[in-house]
Amino acid sequence: MANQNENQIAMNEAVDLGGLEKSLTEAIESQVSDLDSLTEELQNIGNPEQLGKVVMDTVWEQLMNNMGSVAGEDFIKENGNMTLDLSKDAHIQTTDNFADGKIASHNKEINYQERYDNWQGNFEKDKSEQIKYHSDRTGKQKENLVKGARKKYDEGRPKGSKEKGMDMDHTVSAGEIIRDPKVAAHLTEQEKINFANSSSNLNEMNSSHNRSKSDLSMKEWLETPNANGQKPKDIFNDLDDETIKSYYEKDMQAREKWGKTKNQGEQSSIESGKKSRREEAFKVGKAAVGAVAMSLLAAFIKEVVKKFIKWLSSKEKTLENLLANIKAAISSFVKNLGQNLLSAGQTLATTIATAIFGPITRTFTKAFTMLKQGMKSVADAIAYIRKPENRKKSLSILVAEVGKIIVVGLSAVGALALNDVIEKGLMAIPPLAIEIPLFGSLASILGLATSGLIAGLIGAMVLNYIDKWIAQKRKAEATVKIIEKQNEILQTQEVQKLVVEEELVQTKERAFQNIADRHTEARKIMKETLANVFEEPMKDVTPVEESDNKKDLDELQRLLEGLL
């Protein structure tokens, strides 16, 4: 029996009931904590999400884009209704581009389009507006000049002397000046007339020679034979070598001056183009900086308004509390400075894009915001499904939760789509079409606010409906989980009770065993002591005495056994 008890105690000690009890206590504490969490979750189920924040954030983003679009459109108006173009060809007029009708229209100092139109107005054209040409004596194709094209070059200038048979000849002819695209592009009409009638270019010439020369250059006239193979020297007896030399010298002097005049005009065009590029860059920079500054200011005002509304809704409307809220608004603005700068950067990008592509950018930014919001909703839905804690939810609740995310995205997109409709309707009211610098028209601002409100209300109602359904579902599931958790706690407590009872039984058994061991050891010691005491005397006693002694010893043995 003693061996059996010892084996049972040894087995129980191997189980470590003390450690088991500690583990069960910790398990109960954890289960109670889970139960508290489930209870708290049950209480929170059914609280709707703040759809307004999502919708208004999207509307706010569109307002920032709108500010950028308006700033870009204001730049276009200031830029002569032309979009931003800082390319070289847009400002610096080259002769080749001018000849091909490619005008540096962004140059604000020189109206090259007007120069081009005036230049083209000198030429005869057919019904399809194509220039008519003729071949001169050298075989070159030259544009036909309209009647009166040379008139302005002849007004008020010396004509020569009929008595002497002399004309005042344009060494570089008016026809050559009119036809030259470099001259048309880089010189004003007055500069062309001034050169044509200058002392360098206006020289006396034999009337017959002058009429024969016509619009040809001196070199072409003197060196090109006519249809009969005759050169001017062969035709005119008075055209001697001395006269020819004089004509060449005057032509060289005139053309040298003419080349310098054209080059100076071309350089002036380059300088004016560079200046025009700088001015246009400064204009768009000014518009962009203004839009960014207004974006940051609007973000700050937004924070102040939020805190002011919070102050109005508070019980203590004291000046101290108001100042504390304004301080909190400043702190929030600084804290979110990175996000505010990102929004300002987006406003900057919209300003530049509008300046480059025109008002269509506003429509594009709205479409882009819609697309971005739609993609964000899809990404949020996927991220929600992938979260490990959400995978445990039932399929119906998971679908409903994803539906909420999609509704939020659709509400934001709907606000932007609705804004277009409302804005167009409000624009029909003249007072609402008034433009506010950097913010756009009143119709646009009211459209954003109204569309955000309507879309937010509709979205909130849909979300509330989904939330109620989810709440009922989750409450039922949470209630089942709470009951299961309570049963789990009860089961663990029951096991803990059994372990404690078993541990108590083992403790008692170990105590009894220890007492029995001590009694056995005491009996052994007493036996040995008595044996030593009675061993010698017992050899001399009589049988009767020995019998009496034995009885006494047997009695003592019974008493000792009784103690056990």
Side-chain angles (χ1 to χ4, degrees):
M1 180 67 181
N3 289 337
Q4 183 178 359
N5 289 337
E6 290 176 359
N7 291 336
Q8 181 65 35
I9 292 171
M11 184 181 67
N12 290 337
E13 287 177 348
V15 173
D16 189 10
L17 293 176
L20 180 58
E21 182 186 0
K22 182 179 178 181
S23 298
L24 289 170
T25 301
E26 292 174 352
I28 291 173
E29 290 175 354
S30 175
Q31 290 165 352
V32 170
S33 176
D34 292 341
L35 179 62
D36 292 338
S37 298
L38 288 170
T39 304
E40 183 179 354
E41 180 182 355
L42 180 62
Q43 293 173 350
N44 291 332
I45 288 174
N47 292 336
E49 294 182 24
Q50 297 299 320
L51 171 68
K53 181 179 182 303
V54 178
V55 174
M56 290 314 298
D57 281 350
T58 304
V59 172
W60 179 260
E61 179 185 355
Q62 188 56 36
L63 179 61
M64 295 298 100
N65 289 334
N66 194 53
M67 289 174 61
S69 296
V70 172
E73 290 169 13
D74 287 344
F75 160 79
I76 292 172
K77 291 177 184 177
E78 189 179 351
N79 201 41
N81 292 322
M82 290 185 293
T83 57
L84 175 67
D85 189 348
L86 297 178
S87 66
K88 189 175 180 180
D89 288 341
H91 295 268
I92 300 176
Q93 185 67 67
T94 64
T95 301
D96 289 341
N97 283 346
F98 188 86
D100 293 336
K102 298 176 183 177
I103 307 303
S105 56
H106 284 251
N107 191 304
K108 307 304 183 298
E109 294 203 343
I110 301 174
N111 191 337
Y112 289 104
Q113 186 62 54
E114 184 179 30
R115 289 187 178 183
Y116 181 79
D117 293 340
N118 290 338
W119 179 52
Q120 292 292 300
N122 291 312
F123 307 130
E124 287 185 359
K125 296 180 181 177
D126 58 22
K127 292 181 180 179
S128 60
E129 289 300 308
Q130 298 298 313
I131 296 174
K132 293 181 179 180
Y133 290 86
H134 69 276
S135 296
D136 64 11
R137 197 167 75 186
T138 66
K140 288 184 179 179
Q141 289 288 308
K142 291 184 177 179
E143 299 90 342
N144 292 351
L145 298 182
V146 297
K147 186 178 180 180
R150 298 179 181 85
K151 183 178 180 180
K152 52 193 166 189
Y153 293 90
D154 294 330
E155 292 176 348
R157 72 174 180 86
K159 301 294 178 63
S161 173
K162 290 184 179 180
E163 291 79 8
K164 294 180 181 180
M166 301 295 288
D167 287 342
M168 295 298 291
D169 172 57
H170 288 126
T171 304
V172 177
S173 69
E176 183 179 343
I177 293 173
I178 292 170
R179 292 185 179 95
D180 192 337
K182 185 172 183 179
V183 176
H186 305 303
L187 295 180
T188 65
E189 287 295 322
Q190 194 58 51
E191 285 173 334
K192 289 182 277 187
I193 293 171
N194 289 344
F195 169 78
N197 297 328
S198 67
S199 59
S200 301
N201 191 59
L202 197 59
N203 297 294
E204 274 193 337
M205 189 176 189
N206 180 281
S207 299
S208 299
H209 299 173
N210 184 36
R211 285 162 177 71
S212 174
K213 174 178 173 289
S214 186
D215 285 342
L216 296 174
S217 68
M218 195 65 71
K219 181 179 176 62
E220 289 173 338
W221 175 61
L222 290 172
E223 297 180 8
T224 305
N226 61 15
N228 297 322
Q230 297 174 308
K231 293 183 180 180
K233 186 177 180 181
D234 302 325
I235 299 172
F236 301 104
N237 296 327
D238 58 350
L239 189 59
D240 54 23
D241 291 340
E242 188 67 27
T243 303
I244 292 173
K245 181 180 180 182
S246 173
Y247 284 165
Y248 272 124
E249 287 177 355
K250 290 179 180 179
D251 184 77
M252 182 180 68
Q253 292 171 2
R255 291 192 177 280
E256 184 178 355
K257 180 67 179 292
W258 183 224
K260 290 180 179 179
T261 301
K262 290 197 292 185
N263 290 337
Q264 287 173 356
E266 187 174 40
Q267 188 60 37
S268 294
S269 290
I270 293 173
E271 292 302 322
S272 69
K274 290 180 178 178
K275 182 180 178 182
S276 179
R277 289 177 80 185
R278 289 194 298 268
E279 289 178 350
E280 188 160 322
F282 176 78
K283 284 179 185 177
V284 74
K286 180 181 176 182
V289 169
V292 168
M294 286 301 298
S295 174
L296 292 174
L297 178 61
F300 176 69
I301 292 174
K302 179 185 176 185
E303 293 295 336
V304 172
V305 169
K306 284 168 59 179
K307 298 301 180 183
F308 182 71
I309 293 174
K310 181 180 178 181
W311 177 76
L312 288 176
S313 61
S314 65
K315 294 181 179 179
E316 297 183 7
K317 298 181 180 65
T318 63
L319 178 61
E320 182 180 357
N321 193 11
L322 176 61
L323 293 175
N325 276 279
I326 292 176
K327 184 178 179 181
I330 296 173
S331 176
S332 178
F333 175 77
V334 174
K335 181 180 178 181
N336 298 321
L337 187 59
Q339 183 62 40
N340 292 331
L341 287 174
L342 185 63
S343 297
Q346 188 170 343
T347 302
L348 172 65
T350 304
T351 301
I352 301 299
T354 304
I356 295 174
F357 300 108
I360 192 174
T361 305
R362 189 182 298 191
T363 302
F364 173 77
T365 53
K366 286 183 180 180
F368 177 74
T369 303
M370 290 182 185
L371 179 62
K372 185 174 71 172
Q373 184 59 47
M375 293 177 65
K376 183 179 182 301
S377 297
V378 173
D380 289 345
I382 293 173
Y384 182 86
I385 294 173
R386 286 180 175 177
K387 285 184 179 179
E389 61 269 25
N390 293 332
R391 293 179 182 175
K392 299 177 182 178
K393 295 180 180 180
S394 64
L395 180 61
S396 58
I397 289 181
L398 195 61
V399 171
E401 292 287 0
V402 170
K404 286 172 61 178
I405 296 173
I406 300 299
V407 167
V408 171
L410 290 176
S411 298
V413 171
L416 297 178
L418 189 60
N419 170 52
D420 284 338
V421 178
I422 296 175
E423 182 180 351
K424 288 178 181 178
L426 294 176
M427 285 295 286
I429 305 173
L432 298 181
I434 297 173
E435 292 283 334
I436 299 176
L438 290 179
F439 283 94
S441 64
L442 286 170
S444 176
I445 297 172
L446 289 173
L448 278 170
T450 306
S451 61
L453 179 62
I454 294 174
L457 288 174
I458 295 174
M461 287 189 290
V462 175
L463 281 184
N464 187 50
Y465 176 80
I466 296 175
D467 264 334
K468 284 182 179 179
W469 184 87
I470 292 176
Q472 293 176 353
K473 225 23 193 169
R474 289 180 63 191
K475 281 180 179 178
E477 291 181 359
T479 301
V480 171
K481 288 180 180 179
I482 289 174
I483 294 173
E484 290 177 350
K485 184 60 65 176
Q486 289 173 339
N487 291 336
E488 186 180 345
I489 292 173
L490 290 174
Q491 290 174 0
T492 305
Q493 288 176 333
E494 186 65 26
V495 172
Q496 185 185 37
K497 179 181 177 183
L498 294 174
V499 169
V500 170
E501 290 177 351
E502 180 63 25
E503 188 177 12
L504 181 60
V505 170
Q506 290 182 17
T507 301
K508 289 181 180 179
E509 289 179 352
R510 283 196 296 271
F512 289 150
Q513 185 63 42
N514 289 336
I515 293 172
D517 290 343
R518 286 196 295 273
H519 285 179
T520 301
E521 184 66 23
R523 185 178 64 178
K524 181 179 178 182
I525 293 171
M526 291 181 68
K527 279 184 177 182
E528 291 176 353
T529 303
L530 290 174
N532 291 333
V533 170
F534 293 104
E535 182 177 1
E536 293 299 328
M538 288 178 64
K539 293 178 180 179
D540 298 331
V541 295
T542 61
V544 176
E545 293 175 332
E546 181 179 356
S547 174
D548 293 337
N549 291 334
K550 186 174 186 306
K551 289 179 180 179
D552 292 337
L553 290 173
D554 290 340
E555 182 64 23
L556 181 60
Q557 177 69 26
R558 284 194 299 273
L559 290 173
L560 289 174
E561 291 177 352
L563 291 175
L564 299 177

